[in-house]
Amino acid sequence: MAEQVKFYFDEHVPRAVTRGLERRGVDVITAQASGRQSISDREQLGFAFLRGRVLVTMDSDYLALGAEGVSHAGIAYASHGRTIGDLIQALMLIYETITPADMVDHVEYL
């Protein structure tokens, strides 16, 4: 089996999404669990990059960082208003179909 994407959730992603993915066996860490709330967006993106984790966010500031050329292990961006179920389904699609290498410096819109 190919290597699977691992996720890092910023502090704005609902806890229910984390629980839903963990129940499905997906490797997820959160800003809250790693004690990284209120850290700058650039530092959050670097933290995820160094750990090979796709950053999942609802904060469009990360899109600007990616557009500036800041290297990252991938950004999965969800606009506000998406349901918990929609987010879980979209992230599972990434998990099941995209390799970590394919996510590097790539933005996936959920």
Side-chain angles (χ1 to χ4, degrees):
M1 185 165 142
E3 186 180 0
Q4 301 288 164
V5 168
K6 296 182 238 177
F7 295 109
Y8 175 64
F9 287 5
D10 80 358
E11 57 195 89
H12 303 291
V13 179
R15 177 75 180 125
V17 178
T18 305
R19 287 191 305 267
L21 290 180
E22 288 173 339
R23 283 188 198 115
R24 291 164 175 82
V26 178
D27 187 337
V28 177
I29 60 172
T30 66
Q32 295 89 329
S34 57
R36 301 193 58 80
Q37 299 102 304
S38 303
I39 303 296
S40 77
D41 294 343
R42 189 175 293 273
E43 289 175 292
Q44 295 284 28
L45 202 55
F47 178 83
F49 178 69
L50 290 173
R51 286 153 184 80
R53 291 181 175 273
V54 172
L55 182 112
V56 180
T57 186
M58 298 173 137
D59 181 350
S60 62
D61 292 345
Y62 289 103
L63 302 178
L65 288 171
E68 287 176 18
V70 175
S71 290
H72 54 85
I75 298 170
Y77 173 76
S79 58
H80 288 277
R82 298 289 307 263
T83 68
I84 301 299
D86 285 345
L87 290 172
I88 291 170
Q89 184 177 10
L91 291 168
M92 285 304 299
L93 187 60
I94 291 171
Y95 178 77
E96 293 169 348
T97 62
I98 302 177
T99 66
D102 288 337
M103 281 301 298
V104 172
D105 293 330
H106 173 74
V107 176
E108 192 68 31
Y109 293 86
L110 308 178

